[in-house]
Amino acid sequence: MADPFLEFRTVSFHAGGRAILDRLDLRVAQGEVLVLLGRSGSGKTTALKLANALLMPSGGEVMVEGRSTRQWNAIELRRRTGYVIQETGLLPHLTVGENVGLVPRIRGAEANPERIRGLLDLVGLPAEFAGRYPRQLSGGQRQRAGVARALAADPRLLLFDEPFGALDPVTRFELQNEFRALQQRLRKTAIFVTHDLREALRLGDRIALLHNGRLEVNCAAAEFRHAATPEASAFLAAFRGDI
Amino acid sequence: MREGLASTVLRLSGEHLLLVLVAVTAGVLIAVPAGVFLTRRESWRAPLLLAANVVQTIPSLALFGFLIPVPFIGGIGKGTALVALILYALLPILRNTLAGILAVDAAVRESAVAMGMTDGQLLRIVELPLAARTILAGVRIAAVTTVGTATIAAAVGGGGLGDLIFRGIATVDTTLILAGALPAAGLALAIDGGLGWIEGRFSR
Ligand SMILES: Nc1ncnc2c1ncn2[C@@H]1O[C@H](COP(=O)(O)OP(=O)(O)OP(=O)(O)O)[C@@H](O)[C@H]1O
Ligand SMILES: [Mg+2]
């Protein structure tokens, strides 16, 4: 295997006197989508935040492009990394266009209207949405705008924290399909957090299963149904008939 | 003497307004940065807010009195009056700056940090615009109360409409008292209305 784009080297994270992540070893290859699967509280969000230096490991190293997040300038690393969360975190006082143009703007570059239209088009939003405020969008449209914003800086790494978690099943299915189509085109390296096994199987090249801060399974998505650990069995049982 | 009353009222109203403007402007220049600082230093929050609260509870006449013997800022005159008025203006602005910034949605702040904003950018692009309405509400409270408190400033030679009120009390002249009190009330209403209007324009 070539040098991984992102690597967790025996990473632990402690908070509140306990280990929230316990000696995690993970590698994400260039262009690969790794799904972090796990039940609520298993440490998925914590792991994601270690990848763009929102958190620093208590032990071990998180390597991005061969460099530890301790060595990276955190601001620089974050500007090269797209991040989408469930509530998108679109700035409510800025229009969708301004939100999408925010990363270029904070880097001191001019936000290019042409490019913003292109990004909205890429995520399936009509150009006139650029002038709207986030509260004038539906949940699904907001998530699309959030993805457009994450793509604006042409990041090499994308982090998704249950971006479709709050959507109705139909819209969710639609966005999952578009995510796949987009990934076919862009071939970004991505970590996608979810607690939905179906979503994990549809979107992931690999699935890493977290349980109480420990990595229980790390396999190709197609192989997950043969995983035999207790937590994997619990997930397979919960989604039996669905997958 | 009655002839000059109208022009006296006008002159003292101008003086009064100037006192209020200078005190509130200085209050904003001190309290907004201090409030921002407190959002970054949690351990300083309780003590600084307590200090501002204590100042607020000192009766204004007593505070003016306390300041008179203080070197440099004290003495009889505008300086003492201004220092006291600024001290009173601090608390509402400080408290609202803090509350406004702390009320910014955690998801919004986190995604701003995650996209690579520096702390200064976070403040300028996210926190201050979203807190602007709350901060302005604090400024409005400070301005309106300062109009009232400033009438007492006349007791230490601060001038303003309080001059008429104190003279009216001393000579038991109701007309003089009203000539000071009514314009002060009008001033307070005008400032309240004006700032309220600006505040309304921030309603997003
Ligand atoms: N700063 C912190 N201090 C103490 N405990 C924390 C802290 N951050 C997270 N935790 C705890 O760590 C555990 C893992 O949190 P995390 O947010 O990573 O879970 P998650 O897998 O993303 O869950 P969910 O699916 O509900 O979002 C939880 O039990 C949480 O309460
Ligand atoms: Mg989470």
Side-chain angles (χ1 to χ4, degrees):
Chain A
M1 181 174 170
D3 274 352
F5 186 88
L6 177 80
E7 187 179 8
F8 281 63
R9 291 187 181 158
T10 328
V11 169
S12 297
F13 183 81
H14 300 261
R18 65 191 188 89
I20 288 161
L21 290 177
D22 191 15
R23 288 162 291 165
L24 203 62
D25 282 298
L26 265 183
R27 307 171 122 229
V28 189
Q30 170 77 52
E32 183 179 55
V33 178
L34 175 88
V35 169
L36 268 183
L37 180 67
R39 62 174 86 191
S40 194
S42 55
K44 307 181 295 293
T45 296
T46 306
L48 206 63
K49 287 181 179 172
L50 286 162
N52 64 349
L54 286 176
L55 297 173
M56 283 294 157
S58 316
E61 300 287 339
V62 177
M63 310 294 290
V64 182
E65 297 184 75
R67 199 174 350 154
S68 163
T69 52
R70 294 179 212 280
Q71 258 94 57
W72 272 98
N73 173 324
I75 301 281
E76 189 49 41
L77 175 61
R78 290 175 197 148
R79 287 179 184 178
R80 296 158 148 257
T81 308
Y83 189 68
V84 186
I85 55 181
Q86 186 170 314
E87 317 85 65
T88 58
L90 291 174
L91 303 188
H93 59 302
L94 301 183
T95 63
V96 170
E98 287 168 338
N99 265 288
V100 173
L102 210 50
V103 179
R105 177 175 156 201
I106 63 178
R107 291 171 127 167
E110 203 58 44
N112 173 353
E114 196 83 8
R115 169 136 176 84
I116 289 173
R117 267 199 298 281
L119 284 162
L120 291 181
D121 185 54
L122 195 64
V123 299
L125 285 178
E128 65 260 28
F129 274 58
R132 291 213 200 167
Y133 287 94
R135 69 185 138 78
Q136 300 168 318
L137 268 56
S138 73
Q141 291 163 343
R142 272 202 285 270
Q143 290 312 110
R144 290 172 197 267
V147 173
R149 183 176 70 181
L151 290 170
D154 197 18
R156 299 190 63 196
L157 176 63
L158 286 167
L159 306 173
F160 295 90
D161 196 350
E162 304 194 40
F164 311 144
L167 304 179
D168 66 84
V170 179
T171 307
R172 185 171 191 164
F173 185 72
E174 223 172 80
L175 281 180
Q176 287 168 351
N177 282 339
E178 287 175 28
F179 178 91
R180 271 163 50 149
L182 207 58
Q183 177 60 14
Q184 296 283 334
R185 275 174 68 182
L186 302 177
R187 288 276 155 223
K188 300 278 184 191
T189 309
I191 303 184
F192 194 105
V193 163
T194 183
H195 51 239
D196 179 344
L197 178 55
R198 253 180 324 174
E199 187 167 71
L201 291 169
R202 301 193 69 208
L203 302 184
D205 298 315
R206 297 185 69 77
I207 296 181
L209 178 65
L210 277 180
H211 183 44
N212 288 333
R214 290 226 175 94
L215 188 63
E216 254 201 40
V217 176
N218 181 2
C219 66
E223 259 128 59
F224 189 84
R225 50 190 88 228
H226 308 301
T229 69
E231 184 69 356
S233 306
F235 265 90
L236 288 166
F239 286 88
R240 181 168 301 132
D242 284 344
I243 54 176
Chain B
M1 188 199 152
R2 283 273 178 267
E3 293 305 311
L5 187 58
S7 68
T8 309
V9 167
L10 210 61
R11 177 177 58 80
L12 291 178
S13 294
E15 229 177 83
H16 204 88
L17 186 63
L18 191 66
L19 265 180
V20 172
L21 284 180
V22 174
V24 172
T25 304
V28 168
L29 291 179
I30 298 168
V32 171
V36 169
F37 172 80
L38 289 190
T39 62
R40 268 72 181 156
R41 294 292 151 79
E42 205 177 336
S43 57
W44 288 59
R45 241 176 254 172
L48 229 76
L49 279 179
L50 182 70
N53 262 316
V54 166
V55 171
Q56 201 81 4
T57 60
I58 304 173
S60 40
L61 200 51
L63 182 60
F64 287 120
F66 285 143
L67 286 173
I68 290 176
V70 177
F72 302 116
I73 59 169
I76 294 286
K78 296 242 185 304
T80 309
L82 265 179
V83 170
L85 292 179
I86 292 168
L87 285 175
Y88 279 120
L90 292 179
L91 182 68
I93 305 174
L94 182 71
R95 211 161 36 194
N96 279 34
T97 303
L98 188 63
I101 291 179
L102 292 182
V104 172
D105 184 353
V108 167
R109 180 180 284 112
E110 174 162 281
S111 79
V113 172
M115 76 175 67
M117 284 194 194
T118 61
D119 192 55
Q121 288 173 330
L122 180 68
L123 189 65
R124 261 186 302 113
I125 302 175
V126 183
E127 293 177 319
L128 285 179
L130 287 174
R133 209 179 136 87
T134 310
I135 296 174
L136 208 59
V139 173
R140 188 173 162 200
I141 295 168
V144 171
T145 48
T146 302
V147 172
T149 316
T151 56
I152 302 171
V156 293
L161 290 164
D163 265 0
L164 289 172
I165 299 176
F166 277 108
R167 258 160 51 201
I169 292 171
T171 58
V172 203
D173 182 339
T174 314
T175 313
L176 267 187
I177 297 179
L178 286 176
L182 288 179
L187 210 55
L189 285 175
I191 289 177
D192 192 45
L195 288 177
W197 180 77
I198 298 176
E199 210 181 300
R201 300 186 50 109
F202 276 89
S203 61
R204 274 236 175 95

